[in-house]
Structures are given as structure tokens and as C-alpha cells.
Amino acid sequence: MENINSKVSFIVPIFNVASYLEAALDSLIYQTYDNFEVIMVDDGSTDISGFIAKSFSATDSRFKYYRTENKGQSHARNIGLTKATGKFIAFFDPDDSLEKNFLEKLVLQMNENIMIVSYLFPSAKLGKCNRKITVDDFFSKMFSGTIGTVVWNKLFRKEILKNVKFPEGQVHEEINFYRQLLSVVHDYQILIINDNKEYNYRVDRPGNTTSTFDPKQIIGAKDAQKLVGDLRKSGKKKSIPVVQLNTLIFLKIYLQRSIDNDYKEDAKNMFNSLYLETDKLKCFLIDPFMTVSVVKFKLGLEK
């Protein structure tokens, strides 16, 4: 196959993950597909993460170490994109680990017409087979949780990321990242692999964006609202209610978790505005339980 010997660039942002980093990087070494480089970007760690990363670069030429001042995960990923020399790009979080066939399965599906290959999200149910999908389906499956809006379970052709950057200084930056891809990826250039066991995702590390509440997460909801407008302009109608329902659920949880912060009133206004423009019947057909929970929450806000 055309891509069987093509180089893959793993981009690994690192910040104070000494307890997990060695095992994470070891899982890259043992990949059955070995034509890759690992761009390790140390985002100003204050523990021994840098020492661990440099020990890998000293013994394996595929591992490349860079250090920057602490500016966040997006900044580190953007540096990685500028350093990457591979034909394909994979993103890897330094507290996770990979099964040995993770990369090989992705590369084998990346033929000349495919721009993105994705595994299912680890908690998603298996389907029937691998299949190519439309851009509309891609956004539906991301926001429904089938493949997730994360970047670490996907392989990207580098050429489509040429003008794409992660927004710096915010959390849930992936939504903005995917908004930028909307104009450069076309129907059936995306393939879903019917497998959810190749990436081992750690959900319980203190300080990660899953386990930590950050008021600035509201920016991700704003990006989702902008994405709805983008999808509407490009005629991607199927995914719009999926994105809207996902965002309403996020805002509901955000408002339930936040006490008083500078963003709470903004979040409430966003929820009310999005609720009014969302087709609740379409949302109910997508996920009855979640739609009912959103409606009940809305009624509670009005009391």
C-alpha cells in the first residue's frame, strides 16, 4: 500500500506528568508500526518530566525533546505541528498509553483519498464494520460521543493541518480546531475504524481537563455555538441538533457545578439563547433521556 512506509509524527504535550510519562512513552516504542517520530514538547514542567523525556531522546533517535515556557497544552501542540516532519499527524496525551497495534491499524486505512482516520471513543459501542462517512456524520459522531471531539484517537493527513492551529489560553480547544477543518475536509475523506480498545485513556488524573472544573471551559461552548453557524452555512443539517444538545448538556452541567464566577451569567444567557433556537423534537429523537433532563433544567431556571 502507498502509505505502508510513511512517517507518522506523534505530538506529545508534556506538563508535570512524571508519574505516568515513562509508561506512556514506552507504549510508543512498542508499536508494531515503527516509522514514526515523537515530538515531545515540555510545557515548562517543574517536576522530573523533562528528565524522563530527555532520557528517551538520548536512547532513541525517533524521540525529539523541546522545552518551552508554560503556556498550556494548545501552545505545546502548535509547537509540535511546526516541528513535525511526518506525512501523518497523531496526538498523544502523556498520561495515557497505546496498545501495540494502535498506529498500524490507522496507517493501513489511510489511503490516498482519506484525510482523517478515527477509532471509536473508548466508551462507545462497537458498530458493524469500518466505514467512510460524510463530514456531517463526522461532526454528529464526534458530538454524540461515538468518536468524541478529542484528537488523540485519530490520525490526520498533515497537509490538511497546514493552516490549522489550536487556540491558545483556553480549555476544550479541540472544538475550534475542528471548526478550522470544516472547510478543508470533504465527504467520504474520513474513515471510522470499528475498534475502541487501542487507546487507553486515563480519566482520573488530578489536573487533567476531564477531572478538573475550570470556569474558562465556557469558551468551548462559545466555540460550539459558532460551529453550529458554520454547519448551517455549509448545509450540514444532520449534525446541528447533535451539537446543540451536547452544548446544552455541557452548559447545564457547567451551571450546576459553578458557584459564582465571572462566566456564570454568561453561561446562563448562552443556555437560554441556545435552548430557544434548538429543535427539541430532533434532540429527543437523538437522546430522549438527555433532552428531558435539559428541559427539566430549563424549567428549574424559570422558577
Side-chain angles (χ1 to χ4, degrees), residues 25 52 70 88 110 120 144 155 179 254 262 270 296:
L25 297 179
I52 295 170
N70 180 233
F88 306 118
M110 186 66 89
L120 299 175
S144 68
L155 185 67
R179 281 187 65 213
Y254 182 95
D262 295 337
M270 287 175 61
K296 286 183 177 178

Side-chain angles (χ1 to χ4, degrees), residues 221-235:
K222 292 180 180 180
D223 284 337
Q225 283 191 306
K226 293 175 183 176
L227 173 62
V228 168
D230 296 342
L231 293 168
R232 189 173 282 120
K233 288 178 184 177
S234 59

Side-chain angles (χ1 to χ4, degrees), residues 173-286:
E173 66 275 12
E174 290 89 353
I175 296 174
N176 184 290
F177 173 84
Y178 286 115
R179 281 187 65 213
Q180 296 171 69
L181 288 181
L182 184 59
S183 62
V184 296
V185 179
H186 305 292
D187 288 350
Y188 305 109
Q189 292 183 331
I190 306 160
L191 187 140
I192 306 299
I193 296 179
N194 186 39
D195 189 338
N196 62 2
K197 302 297 184 185
E198 298 298 324
Y199 193 103
N200 302 311
Y201 172 49
R202 186 182 300 275
V203 297
D204 58 353
R205 177 175 69 84
N208 71 12
T209 54
T210 302
S211 63
T212 304
F213 176 71
D214 183 338
K216 290 188 292 185
Q217 289 171 344
I218 191 67
I219 298 172
K222 292 180 180 180
D223 284 337
Q225 283 191 306
K226 293 175 183 176
L227 173 62
V228 168
D230 296 342
L231 293 168
R232 189 173 282 120
K233 288 178 184 177
S234 59
K236 309 293 189 293
K237 297 180 180 180
K238 177 181 176 180
S239 54
I240 289 175
V242 184
V243 177
Q244 289 174 323
L245 178 57
N246 177 280
T247 307
L248 285 168
I249 294 166
F250 168 80
L251 288 169
K252 167 181 170 287
I253 295 170
Y254 182 95
L255 288 165
Q256 289 171 330
R257 294 179 70 183
S258 62
I259 303 173
D260 283 310
N261 61 64
D262 295 337
Y263 304 96
K264 186 170 184 178
E265 193 61 31
D266 195 15
K268 186 175 180 179
N269 292 335
M270 287 175 61
F271 179 91
N272 287 331
S273 174
L274 183 58
Y275 184 88
L276 286 175
E277 71 177 55
T278 299
D279 188 325
K280 267 70 77 178
L281 177 57
K282 288 183 179 179
C283 289
F284 185 83
L285 295 174
I286 294 166

Side-chain angles (χ1 to χ4, degrees), residues 86-154:
K87 185 174 183 178
F88 306 118
I89 302 291
F91 297 96
F92 179 60
D93 286 353
D95 55 341
D96 298 335
S97 64
L98 304 179
E99 296 299 319
K100 65 180 182 178
N101 294 316
F102 171 85
L103 195 53
E104 182 176 9
K105 288 182 178 181
L106 288 169
V107 174
L108 286 175
Q109 297 297 330
M110 186 66 89
N111 65 46
E112 61 184 9
N113 298 315
I114 299 297
M115 299 293 136
I116 303 171
V117 180
S118 177
Y119 284 112
L120 299 175
F121 196 76
S123 59
K125 294 181 180 179
L126 293 178
K128 293 183 179 180
C129 59
N130 299 347
R131 64 191 184 98
K132 296 178 183 178
I133 60 173
T134 64
V135 175
D136 208 2
D137 276 334
F138 180 60
F139 280 91
S140 292
K141 291 184 182 301
M142 281 199 293
F143 281 85
S144 68
T146 302
I147 60 176
T149 57
V150 297
V151 293
W152 41 253
N153 63 344
K154 301 172 179 68

Side-chain angles (χ1 to χ4, degrees), residues 74-88:
S74 290
H75 179 70
R77 283 175 169 171
N78 286 337
I79 289 177
L81 286 171
T82 66
K83 302 295 184 183
T85 62
K87 185 174 183 178
F88 306 118

